């Protein structure tokens, strides 16, 4: 028994040992990092079956390969390729070759010969296709080498006759990507005749396989994209493909026709079955229009999209797209749109009450009616009525683009756009409202159209309503009834959805200032003034009344006769509103009243250039900083910062620049102040207390630099360097301060090393910008780098200290466009006295509505808006809003509408919580990551990234009251 | 010559009583089996005696296909199958199968209970008839028997409406039934692939109409309803239970939802409730919007639309009521109409066509004083509106469908003769497709080209394909092979394969030809001269000089011999196999011209 046990022990023991050995072996491999190729070679040799080999290859593919070892790996792979019998393994090897040849810093021309070689002996179609793909990767990697390109094109041509569609596809792709049309380049590639790639590809338009046909068209498009000019002869070929049986072929053919029509818009093509001729672009337009009623919705979307970008088309073709030539019982019928227009112009409002109101009138000549092929006829009518909303959206977009370029078309398409306001899909409605806004410069709404537009104001979707308000802001209305109607509907909207208040006021502001003469006759009615009797004074807090006043005051701005119609209380209300809602109520020149602001307003407008100048001057003044004594420098900086801040407040356009530079100067100021501290002059151990200021300064500089880097949109690389430089100085300062105040060397070692690492990083990432940083801190630092690396921390600190003092102040080049990110929380307003009650332990949803300005892709992880909720007990909660909560109403603006869930344990009385928006950043985001394999694991250098948040909105207080749960 | 014969028993140059007989490759199919609304005598059903005078219909018809549940397409079905007698399969889609019996039952009730007709089909007959139904899915190919197959395509129009492709061998016919090419609020647009049938039988209700955008109509409708309820008025919408009613419901429901309205909408119960139930079930048959959103909410589960109770009609305040029947000739809609007619704030909207003589027709034509039964006079003060919501394809839509399917010829049914004439002309002119429009009982015979399928072995195909270098889809190409006809099927195989299969040995056929050459030199030299001559001419052939003195071009052998009698001439022996005929004859003619003079 004992012997047996002993034996087992031994057995187990030996087992363990074996395993350890194995582990050690693998570890060794990894530690010494033998070349990848060797490891791969061993693996592949070990593989006994194709499945095994495939597994090894798959594993291998997950890890990146350095540029130096690529060639070795490729050799190994090729060697195995020759030996391998299993096509799937060969396929994987071929795909790996392709991936490897994409590695940056590796020139794949050395493996091209091998690749072409193995291509010739390959039998499997799939592997062939993959090899051609590899060749494509190689070819795209070496765009300048003509000889190689020619050779590859040759190879592709040879394989074009392959029976497998996959191989032919790849060949065509290769031709499309590498083929050239010019015949002049033959000289440097002896023996290889240039081929007319376009002709070869064109031949495959009639291949028997639809996939190959598609690939051929795509290859042709690729040629176009590479800037080669396609021949016009292709047009006819492409037109034939429009009636192909397969949707992907048709879809690609539509694209090709579009391309050709953009290349040769003015050439003349004959109309078949008649001897007339039309412009090519018109013909193409007609053909694409015809595709809008194709059987496949993919093609329809494609066609509708492309229609929008055909701006050269002649106007009568364009207008046909909206004309369907109605008839009923062979008699010409007018469309509802025409009828509405007629009723309107005859002064009668649409009755629509009689049966047969739309009865057809004139007889149609049966011979003249053309049911199909009437070119562009009704393309948009069909597109807008399509079953798939994708097609409808594409059609609306196309309408928008065409209408922007042609005012007469804009006028005509109005009716159709207005109809789209009633679409069943909200996206489509929204899109059509936006479209209308975009073309609103070209159009004036008729009353009946306005009526339909305004009906949408009752929509329950907030997005729709707000889009509509925006639309109304820039609409032209033709009559005073129209204005009245709009006002009435907006007020109705206001009572139904009180939350729309701000948006409606803003809308009325623009409506008023655009149509002063139309508002004028309405004023007595709107203010309900009476020539003889005094009427009751309306309630000043009524949002509806404010809305009316906003409309009137804005109209009065350019209509001096209007104030005469105001009653006394109106003037009082004006004064009140001018103060409380100054962004909505303009300054008016009122009779009997001295207007202070009127003197200011013109000066602001005319002063744009001088203020720019002022900014420049004050910044230039600062550059002389170097020559001043510390005291003077400080004063100068303080003055300049003050000036800049004031300027930013006055001039909204310059606010971004002014703030940005002021922040930078403040950093400099802090640095100078910190360096002026007395602590530097006295022996180290005594200054525990005073160092507070210096370390606080360092910390603040760091914060400010993060703000500069992430809170401003439009910051360019030049600025980022300077910002990082400033941060580096702050870090140096921090290091010095800690060195002074802490005893013992241990922590210092770590810090020093870290700092030097940072310097190293700085050097690596901004290597191209280093020449601009002459005489600066970093410049000097890098000179001394070798010395610093070897010296002790105490010495490092000493060097740093002197360098900080000596280093020059760097100029901050101003970016073209810079805007500070800002956010305003609209909702919750924070004024409510009624606490939000909820049962403790459960959650309550708080609606948050905020506008964000100049925030770059807020959804993105680079900069996430975070809602922070700060409870009275100091507990803070971060909420990441969903990407869908962000809307983008205009360039540079975002709107966050989200719900924040609050919860807390019971309180005895209501208390306030703070809600604010934060901008979170990640410092590694700006640093380029090394790309190798898309499929591989993501492994950016996380060590250097610093994540943090910057508050960028005023906190709003919300009154809440968690109640204990009732049992 | 094979042919397709088509005989409309109903719906030929007429609307209503759709029933079309199609004979295709020896198979007889009946398309639809409808009744005529306009007649109450024998003419309301198709004349089935046309098919056979004596003997059972089952022996003459291979199958019956019903396109959708409207009575003018399926109303005669129980009569046909139970009273005349047919036991074969009846094909229809699932929704049609579900809703059809409800409508038939309703129709039976009105005919028997209200009008007191005898000799009408009974409820049991409807049930028995429905037992013969085979339901099909969209795009499912159903094998009726070994040769006949049918396939359903989406047609819009009403829930479950389908177009059918009937196919025997390589011949095929597509029957559209009723269809709609523009989508509406609850159904999508008809769609068919490029099936290239020999014949497309299409409806042509709106052959001479090109319709306006449907959005205007919808907007008008919504605006009118909205204005009336805002004024505090009541809106009455008389509808038939199925089809348009659901569309209008969806339209109002979504509008109410969007505009946040609270005014009640009622739907008179009965038939409709049952029908709505089926609409809820057959979501895949509806349009994109409903299909995409039904996971969150089934659009047919109306939030705002509630069942109507007789007592509600007297409730104060605004409301919207859908009531049957659609022409205001009887029933609930008429009752409500009488109650509300006196108030000018109210409104009645007629969403469809009204037959002459009905109250609906009277008020639409502007009559303001109506005589009701019992000599009462009803003064109509309420507003009367007409809104046309129709779900047939218009002329453009028909052309579009014809364009999509690419048929060889078109046959028009289900429309008025005069209108058909116009469309026929247009189709022939613009699509260059022959077009027919037979009247009832008239037979159209369509010759079809006979195509015989021949199987080809993959090896042969690939081999032959590899020889052709450039793809030329349209050009005919020469192919070498052996056609084997065996058990009435045809196969094309390579000759080796054919020999193997037939158990035959290969026979070598060799041609030999002598060419006399005037040459005084020795045989070997002559052969050498021939070799160099051929080598210089036939550059892309493989020419070889064998050690035994003979020359080969590919597999053609050339030997030079010297006949003993005349040393001045040499005889060239050229020998080739049958396969190399072309090259061989070329060589002989070449050699006959003689060799070029050697540079001596």
């Amino acid at each position: 028994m004992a012997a047996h046990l002993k034996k087992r022990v031994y057995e187990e023991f030996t087992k363990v040992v074996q395993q350890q050995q194995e582990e050690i072996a693998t570890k060794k491999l990894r530690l010494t990092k033998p070349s990848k190729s060797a490891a791969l070679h061993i693996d592949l040799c070990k593989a006994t079956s194709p499945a095994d080999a495939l597994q090894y290859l798959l594993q291998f593919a997950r890890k990146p390969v350095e540029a130096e070892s690529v060639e070795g790996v490729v050799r190994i792979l090729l060697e195995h390729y020759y030996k391998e019998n299993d096509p799937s393994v060969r396929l994987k090897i071929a795909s790996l070759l392709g991936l490897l040849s994409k590695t940056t810093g590796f020139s794949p021309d050395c493996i091209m010969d091998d690749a072409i070689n193995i291509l010739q002996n390959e039998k499997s179609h799939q592997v062939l296709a993959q090899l051609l793909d590899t060749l494509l990767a190689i070819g795209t990697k070496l765009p300048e080498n003509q000889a190689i390109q020619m050779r590859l094109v040759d190879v592709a041509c040879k394989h074009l006759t392959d029976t497998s569609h996959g191989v032919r596809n790849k060949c065509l792709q290769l031709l499309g990507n590498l083929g050239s049309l010019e015949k002049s380049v033959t000289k440097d590639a002896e023996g290889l005749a240039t081929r007319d790639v376009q002709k070869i590809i064109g031949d495959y338009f009639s291949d028997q396989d639809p996939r190959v046909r598609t690939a051929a068209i795509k290859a042709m498009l690729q040629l176009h994209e590479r800037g080669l000019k396609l021949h016009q002869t292709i047009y006819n070929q492409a037109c034939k493909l429009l009636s192909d049986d397969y949707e992907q072929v048709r879809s690609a053919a539509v694209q090709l026709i579009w391309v050709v029509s953009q290349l040769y818009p003015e050439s003349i093509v004959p109309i078949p079955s008649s001897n007339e001729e039309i412009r090519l672009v018109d013909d193409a337009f007609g053909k694409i229009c015809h595709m809008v009623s194709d059987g496949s919705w993919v093609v329809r979307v494609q066609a509708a999209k492309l229609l929008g970008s055909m701006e050269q088309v002649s106007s009568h073709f364009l207008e046909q797209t909206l004309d369907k030539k109605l008839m009923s019982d062979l008699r010409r019928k007018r469309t509802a749109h025409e009828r509405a227009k007629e009723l309107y112009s005859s002064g009668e409002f649409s009755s629509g009450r009689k049966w047969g109101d739309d009865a057809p009138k004139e007889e149609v000549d049966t011979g003249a009616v053309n049911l199909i092929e009437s070119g562009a006829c009704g393309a948009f009518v069909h597109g807008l009525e399509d079953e798939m909303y994708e097609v409808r959206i594409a059609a609306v977009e196309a309408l928008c683009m065409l209408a922007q370029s042609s005012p007469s078309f804009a006028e005509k398409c109005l009716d159709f756009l207005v109809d789209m306001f009633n679409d069943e899909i909200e996206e489509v409605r929204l899109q059509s409202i936006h479209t209308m806004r975009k073309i609103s410069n070209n159009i004036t709404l008729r009353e009946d159209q306005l009526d339909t537009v305004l009906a949408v104001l009752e929509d329950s979707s907030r997005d729709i309503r707000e889009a509509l308000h925006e639309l109304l802001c820039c609409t032209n209305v033709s009559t005073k009834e129209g204005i009245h109607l709009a006002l009435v509907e907006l007020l109705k909207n206001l009572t139904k959805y009180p939350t729309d208040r701000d948006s409606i006021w803003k809308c009325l502001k623009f409506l008023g200032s655009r149509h002063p003469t139309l508002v004028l006759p309405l004023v007595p009615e709107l203010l309900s003034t009476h020539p003889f009797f005094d009427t009751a004074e309306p309630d000043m807090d009524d949002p509806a009344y404010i809305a009316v006043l906003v409309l009137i005051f804005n109209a009065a701005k350019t209509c001096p006769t209007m104030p005469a119609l105001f009653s006394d209380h109106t003037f009082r209300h004006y004064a009140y509103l001018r103060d409380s809602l100054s962004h909505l109520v303009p300054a008016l020149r009122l009779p009997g009243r001295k207007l202070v602001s009127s003197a200011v307003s013109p000066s602001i407008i005319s002063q744009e250039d001088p203020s720019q100048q002022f900014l420049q001057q004050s910044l230039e003044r600062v550059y002389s900083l170097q020559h001043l004594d510390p005291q003077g420098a400080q004063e100068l900086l303080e003055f300049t910062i003050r000036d800049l801040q004031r300027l930013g407040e006055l001039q909204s356009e310059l606010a971004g620049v002014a703030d940005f530079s002021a922040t930078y100067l403040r950093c400099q100021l802090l640095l100078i102040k910190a360096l002026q501290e007395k602590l530097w002059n006295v022996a180290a151990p005594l200054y525990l207390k005073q160092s507070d200021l210096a370390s606080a300064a360092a910390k603040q500089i760091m914060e400010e630099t993060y703000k500069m880097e992430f809170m401003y949109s439009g910051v360019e690389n030049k600025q980022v360097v300077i910002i990082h430089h400033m941060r580096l100085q702050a870090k140096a300062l921090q290091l010095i301060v800690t060195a002074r105040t802490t005893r013992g060397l241990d922590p210092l070692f770590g810090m020093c090393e870290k700092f030097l690492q940072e310097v190293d990083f700085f050097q690596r990432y901004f290597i191209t910008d280093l020449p601009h940083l002459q005489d600066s801190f970093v410049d000097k630092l890098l000179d001394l780098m070798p010395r610093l690396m070897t010296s002790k921390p105490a010495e490092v600190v000493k060097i740093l200290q002197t360098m900080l003092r000596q280093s020059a102040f760097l100029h901050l080049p101003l970016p073209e466009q810079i805007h500070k990110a800002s956010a305003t929380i609209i909702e919750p307003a924070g004024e409510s006295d009624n606490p939000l009650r909820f049962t403790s332990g459960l959650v309550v949803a708080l609606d948050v509505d905020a506008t964000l300005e100049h925030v770059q892709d807020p959804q993105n992880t680079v900069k996430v808006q975070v809602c922070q909720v700060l409870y009275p007990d100091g507990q803070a909660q971060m909420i990441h809003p969903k990407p869908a909560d962000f809307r983008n109403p205009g360039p540079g603006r975002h709107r966050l509408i989200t719900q924040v869930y609050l919860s807390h344990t019971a309180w005895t009385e209501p208390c306030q919580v703070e809600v604010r928006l934060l901008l979170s950043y990640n410092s590694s985001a700006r640093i380029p990551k090394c790309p190798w394999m898309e499929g591989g694991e993501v492994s950016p250098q996380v060590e250097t990234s610093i994540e943090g948040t910057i508050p960028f909105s005023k906190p709003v207080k919300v009154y809440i009251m968690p109640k204990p749960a009732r049992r | 010559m094979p042919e397709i014969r088509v005989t409309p028993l109903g719906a030929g140059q007429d609307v209503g009583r759709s029933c079309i007989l199609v004979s295709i490759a020896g198979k007889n199919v009946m398309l639809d089996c409808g009744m005529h609304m306009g007649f109450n005598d024998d003419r309301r059903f198709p004349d089935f005696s046309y098919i056979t005078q004596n003997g059972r219909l089952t022996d003459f018809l291979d199958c019956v296909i019903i396109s959708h549940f409207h009575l003018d397409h399926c109303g005669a079905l129980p009569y046909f199958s139970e009273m005349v007698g047919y036991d074969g399969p009846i094909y229809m889609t699932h929704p049609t199968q579900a809703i059809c019996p409800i409508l038939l039952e309703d129709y039976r009730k009105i005919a028997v209970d209200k009008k007191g007709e005898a000799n009408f089909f009974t409820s049991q007959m409807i049930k028995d008839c429905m037992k013969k139904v085979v339901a099909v899915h969209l795009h499912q190919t159903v094998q009726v028997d070994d040769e006949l197959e049918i396939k359903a395509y989406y047609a819009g129009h009403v829930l479950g409406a389908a177009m059918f492709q009937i196919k025997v061998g390589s011949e095929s016919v597509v029957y559209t039934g009723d269809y709609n090419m523009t989508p509406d609020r609850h159904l999508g647009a008809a769609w068919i692939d490029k099936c290239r049938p020999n014949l497309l039988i299409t409806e042509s209700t709106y052959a001479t109409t090109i319709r306006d955008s449907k959005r205007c109509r919808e907007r008008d409708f919504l605006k009118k309803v909205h204005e009336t309820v805002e004024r505090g008025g009541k809106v009455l919408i008389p509808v038939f239970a199925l089809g348009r009613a659901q569309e209008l419901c969806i339209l109002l429901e979504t509008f109410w939802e969007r505009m946040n309205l609270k005014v009640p909408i009622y739907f008179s119960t009965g038939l409709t409730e049952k029908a709505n139930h089926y609409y809820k079930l057959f979501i895949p048959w509806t349009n994109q919007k409903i299909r995409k959103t039904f996971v969150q909410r089934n659009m047919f589960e109306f939030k705002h639309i509630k069942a109507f109770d007789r007592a509600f009609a007297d409730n104060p305040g605004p409301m919207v009521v859908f009531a049957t029947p659609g022409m205001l000739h009887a029933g609930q809609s008429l009752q409500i109409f009488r109650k509300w007619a006196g108030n000018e704030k109210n409104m009645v909207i007629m969403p469809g066509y009204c037959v002459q003589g009905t109250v609906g027709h009277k008020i639409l034509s502007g009559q303001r004083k109506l005589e009701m039964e019992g000599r009462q006079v009803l003064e109509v003060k309420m507003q009367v509106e007409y809104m046309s919501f129709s779900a047939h394809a218009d002329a453009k839509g028909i052309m579009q469908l014809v364009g999509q399917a690419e048929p060889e010829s078109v046959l028009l049914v289900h429309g008025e003769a005069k209108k058909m004439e116009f469309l026929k002309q247009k189709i022939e002119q613009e699509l260059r497709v022959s077009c027919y429009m037979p009247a009832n009982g008239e037979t159209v015979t369509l010759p079809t080209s006979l195509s015989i399928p021949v199987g080809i072995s993959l090896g042969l195909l690939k081999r032959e394909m590899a020889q052709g270098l450039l793809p030329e889809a349209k050009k005919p190409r020469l192919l070498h092979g052996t056609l084997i006809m065996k058990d009435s099927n045809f196969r094309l195989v390579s000759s080796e394969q054919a020999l193997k299969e037939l158990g035959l040995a290969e026979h070598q056929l060799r041609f030999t030809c002598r060419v006399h050459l005037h040459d005084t030199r020795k045989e070997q030299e002559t052969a050498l001269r021939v070799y160099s001559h051929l080598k210089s001419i036939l550059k892309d052939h493989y020419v070889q000089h064998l050690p035994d003195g003979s020359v080969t071009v590919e597999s053609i052998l050339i030997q030079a011999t010297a006949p003993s009698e005349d040393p001045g001439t040499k005889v060239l022996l050229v020998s080739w196999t049958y396969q190399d005929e072309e090259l061989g004859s070329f060589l002989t003619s070449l050699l006959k011209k003689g060799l070029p003079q050697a540079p001596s």
Side-chain angles (χ1 to χ4, degrees), chain A residues 358-369:
Chain A
D358 57 347
K361 299 277 153 61
E362 19 175 339
E363 288 268 347
V364 174
D365 175 18
T366 47
V369 182

Side-chain angles (χ1 to χ4, degrees), chain A residues 161 163 168 203-204 206-208 242-245 250 273 293-296 300 323-331 333-337 339 349-356 358 366-374 377-378 381-382 384-390 392 415-416 418-426 429 448 451-452 455-461 492 496-497, chain B residues 154 182-192 194 196 207-220 222-224 226-227 230 250 254-255 257-261 286-289 291-292 299 352-354 360-361 364-365 383-387 394-396 399-400 404 406 416 418-419 422-423 425-426 429-432 462 465-466 468-474:
Chain A
T161 49
T163 50
R168 272 179 286 159
D203 284 341
Y204 281 80
S206 51
D207 193 274
Q208 55 170 345
L242 282 183
S243 50
D244 199 277
D245 283 9
R250 292 200 300 270
S273 78
S293 46
D294 189 85
S296 145
R300 294 203 297 268
D323 183 15
K324 218 178 145 189
K325 291 222 172 44
L326 301 192
M327 63 176 190
S328 160
D329 240 354
L330 280 182
R331 276 178 294 178
K333 210 169 101 177
R334 285 163 311 140
T335 62
H337 292 147
R339 268 181 279 134
F349 214 72
S350 171
S351 72
R353 216 158 281 160
K354 260 178 270 159
W355 188 22
D358 57 347
T366 47
V369 182
N370 204 354
L371 287 182
I372 48 161
E373 285 302 351
S374 23
C377 243
V381 182
H382 285 292
L384 294 177
E385 264 185 32
D386 200 275
E387 180 185 0
M388 312 301 280
Y389 80 92
E390 291 91 342
R392 297 200 297 268
D415 279 322
F416 293 90
V418 170
D419 278 351
M420 293 309 284
F421 286 14
N422 280 320
D423 196 271
E424 51 197 345
I425 307 265
E426 185 177 319
R429 295 202 293 268
D448 58 313
D451 203 33
T452 329
V456 186
L457 274 178
E458 285 187 52
D459 202 296
S460 56
S461 152
K492 222 196 256 178
K496 203 162 176 181
Y497 306 99
Chain B
Y154 191 74
T182 43
D184 61 31
R185 288 287 169 148
H186 73 309
L187 297 175
W191 179 85
I192 196 161
K194 261 192 191 141
R196 303 200 172 90
T208 54
T209 303
I210 298 176
R211 253 179 299 138
D212 197 358
S213 150
K214 92 191 177 302
R215 295 185 183 280
C216 301
R217 268 174 288 150
E218 282 178 4
R219 200 190 59 211
D220 267 9
L222 293 173
K223 202 171 137 193
K224 277 170 191 164
H226 190 195
E227 275 172 6
E230 265 202 343
I250 292 263
T254 42
F255 187 72
E257 187 94 13
R258 258 181 63 199
M259 296 304 184
N260 232 338
L261 296 177
T286 53
N287 72 6
Q288 185 197 22
K289 155 100 179 170
R291 268 182 288 142
K292 287 221 163 135
M299 289 277 275
Y353 176 73
C354 288
H361 187 264
L364 277 180
S365 45
Q383 299 166 54
V384 179
E385 301 284 353
Y386 173 73
M387 291 263 101
D394 64 357
K396 268 205 151 172
M399 298 294 267
Q400 201 183 331
Q404 270 182 20
E406 293 189 1
E416 290 160 37
K418 227 178 81 191
K419 297 182 179 176
F422 166 78
L423 190 65
Q425 186 198 337
K426 286 290 145 198
Q429 252 175 30
E430 287 175 26
L431 297 172
R432 296 174 205 295
K462 278 194 172 163
M465 259 196 1
L469 290 175
L470 281 178
E472 280 288 353
K474 298 280 154 60

